[in-house]
Amino acid sequence: ILCSWALPAAEPGEPVRAELNGLRVAIDPDSGGLRELEYDGVKFLQAGTGSASLLDAAYPGYGFEPLRLGARHSRAARVEVADGGILITWPSLGMSRKFEPIGSVAAMVRIRPAADGRSLTLAASVENRSELTIPQVLFPDLAGLQPFGGLETTELRTCGGVQRPFRDLALPEDEGRWYASRRNWLTLKSGAYDKSMAARWLDLGSLKGGFSLFPKLWSWGPLTESGEPTSDRVLLQLSQVDRTLRLMCEHKTLIRPGEKWSSPEYVLTPHRNGWAKGIEPFRAWIKENVQRAHPLPKHPRQTLGYRSVWLAQQYAVADAAAPTIVWRFRDLPGLADECRAHGLNEMVVWLWGPWEIPQQPSPELGTLAEFNRAIAECRAKGVNVSLFVSV
């Protein structure tokens, strides 16, 4: 059942409600902000009329005070439940403070049931009909998230770690009263060197259930003019007023006057039980899109993982006053025995030579003959040795 029920019309001030693939959605009829998300009797999100959001954008006006556009500042949005989904349009996004722009900024959000029968898809577009450039869009912007699994056990899980935002971002009663504080904010980033969100997937919930969210963006996705990914950060803010959580997916895009921007399609999957159920649509999407230049070798498919062996700290130096050597080539067969004892058949060796592709291994660690002999012994024991290089 894709769209099992929907109210034909909402009373003034009453949210527009629909059920999409089992997830009950309530939209504010005036602002177009997201008021409620409920699944299997659990309310993930509940926001008041003044705080409900869904889309937000930076709009640098004149003067020092920041200026934002977004659903929470808007009036007279159009909310339609039709064609099995929800369409929200803003002819002119409202502003966070008084400002007289030349022109307006229009936006649209479409929420649809996904073909998998369990997820929702969310997509947005912003059309800049004004004279100023928009440098940032937040979408989806989910304000009013509840600690539905408990303050201690509602977890935000990514491919880089686990956070407990309702506990960890809470400020003491006396902090932030007289001065600004950023301790109730958290930034997660996906990328080569940031480990907080190795992939653009996240899950909020507990072992009793929750929801997963990811954009359909492959590899680095769109890039900024400076070559950085436009959509690699998720921002979290815990309200100091009502202790609800705001989750914002940031897009560092430049929407110049007269231009239109379209978001990637996001997939939101509610689920019972733990995060392993929520990640299934993400795993299926990866499987559909991955293109291997070479088939995965047999030995990594038959192991629990691999061991990274750092032969030295930074570089191999034989100076007795400041030794950096951890292992020598002759130690590799013994390390291979440890790998086999723990169910591993792959060993990745680091700092066996200079960072660039070397002509020969570091002599401080042993001779070339010892190097080749050690690798052969490891492979004879059933442990493959891969040599890390930086290109």
Side-chain angles (χ1 to χ4, degrees):
I1 298 175
L2 297 183
C3 184
S4 60
W5 62 266
L7 294 180
E11 296 295 328
E14 284 295 312
V16 178
R17 301 180 184 275
E19 183 172 315
L20 310 174
N21 279 345
L23 182 64
R24 296 190 173 191
V25 182
I27 304 294
D28 191 281
D30 191 26
S31 70
L34 183 61
R35 293 277 298 275
E36 295 177 12
L37 284 179
E38 184 178 342
Y39 179 74
D40 197 29
V42 178
K43 193 160 289 187
F44 298 149
L45 183 150
Q46 186 169 17
T49 56
S51 59
S53 189
L54 191 53
L55 180 143
D56 189 275
Y59 195 66
Y62 308 114
F64 175 77
E65 188 179 358
L67 179 60
R68 307 290 302 189
L69 305 174
R72 66 178 60 212
H73 313 298
S74 299
R75 296 293 179 268
R78 291 200 294 266
V79 184
E80 303 173 67
V81 179
D83 299 327
I86 304 172
L87 177 65
I88 310 162
T89 54
W90 295 269
S92 179
L93 284 171
M95 299 187 174
S96 60
R97 61 180 173 86
K98 289 185 178 180
F99 182 72
E100 296 296 333
I102 298 176
S104 63
V105 177
M108 179 189 74
V109 169
R110 189 180 294 276
I111 306 173
R112 289 173 169 165
D116 62 6
R118 57 188 294 192
S119 306
L120 270 64
T121 63
L122 301 93
S125 63
V126 177
E127 186 174 356
N128 190 357
R129 302 168 182 169
S130 74
E131 60 167 359
L132 300 177
T133 297
I134 299 170
Q136 178 210 54
V137 176
L138 304 177
F139 176 80
D141 178 10
L142 306 179
L145 291 167
Q146 306 290 317
F148 51 87
L151 289 172
E152 294 288 332
T153 53
T154 302
E155 297 178 341
L156 183 84
R157 183 177 296 270
T158 70
C159 292
V162 179
Q163 310 284 339
R164 291 177 173 83
F166 292 97
R167 182 195 69 183
D168 299 339
L169 300 183
L171 297 177
E173 291 295 332
D174 58 345
E175 184 170 346
R177 185 176 299 173
W178 307 111
Y179 54 88
S181 175
R182 289 280 297 180
R183 285 181 55 192
N184 62 325
W185 283 79
L186 177 67
T187 300
L188 303 173
K189 185 176 181 181
S190 59
Y193 298 104
D194 195 301
K195 302 297 185 278
S196 60
M197 194 171 61
R200 294 188 181 98
W201 167 89
L202 59 86
D203 184 89
L204 183 69
S206 69
L207 292 178
K208 296 181 179 179
F211 69 88
S212 289
L213 181 71
F214 72 91
K216 290 185 176 181
L217 282 176
W218 194 253
S219 186
W220 294 105
L223 302 179
T224 65
E225 293 180 350
S226 60
E228 296 294 323
T230 63
S231 307
D232 62 345
R233 296 206 311 172
V234 172
L235 312 176
L236 299 165
Q237 181 193 22
L238 188 69
S239 170
Q240 298 181 52
V241 177
D242 59 8
R243 300 299 176 95
T244 60
L245 185 69
R246 185 181 178 191
L247 188 154
M248 300 154 274
C249 299
E250 182 192 38
H251 306 274
K252 299 184 291 288
T253 184
L254 289 177
I255 313 175
R256 295 182 174 86
E259 293 183 345
K260 184 177 181 179
W261 170 83
S262 295
S263 77
E265 184 178 67
Y266 279 81
V267 178
L268 189 152
T269 306
H271 58 86
R272 302 179 184 90
N273 304 315
W275 62 268
K277 298 302 296 180
I279 204 172
E280 289 174 347
F282 180 63
R283 183 173 60 192
W285 182 73
I286 293 292
K287 188 175 181 179
E288 290 172 2
N289 287 273
V290 68
Q291 296 181 5
R292 295 189 180 277
H294 304 281
L296 190 66
K298 182 179 180 180
H299 59 273
R301 288 190 279 112
Q302 297 179 340
T303 187
L304 295 173
Y306 62 87
R307 179 177 181 176
S308 293
V309 177
W310 290 72
L311 296 181
Q313 299 174 10
Q314 192 60 29
Y315 293 103
V317 177
D319 186 357
T324 66
I325 296 172
V326 180
W327 309 103
R328 299 181 187 275
F329 298 145
R330 61 175 179 264
D331 298 316
L332 291 177
L335 297 176
D337 289 335
E338 292 182 5
C339 288
R340 291 290 295 173
H342 291 84
L344 307 178
N345 62 17
E346 182 82 8
M347 196 160 58
V348 181
V349 179
W350 288 61
L351 295 177
W352 56 279
W355 277 111
E356 67 274 9
I357 300 177
Q359 296 297 321
Q360 62 180 14
S362 296
E364 294 87 353
L365 303 176
T367 65
L368 178 60
E370 289 176 319
F371 182 66
N372 291 330
R373 184 166 58 250
I375 291 177
E377 288 184 26
C378 291
R379 290 175 175 165
K381 293 173 180 287
V383 177
N384 187 62
V385 177
S386 298
L387 303 178
F388 177 86
V389 295
S390 188
V391 181

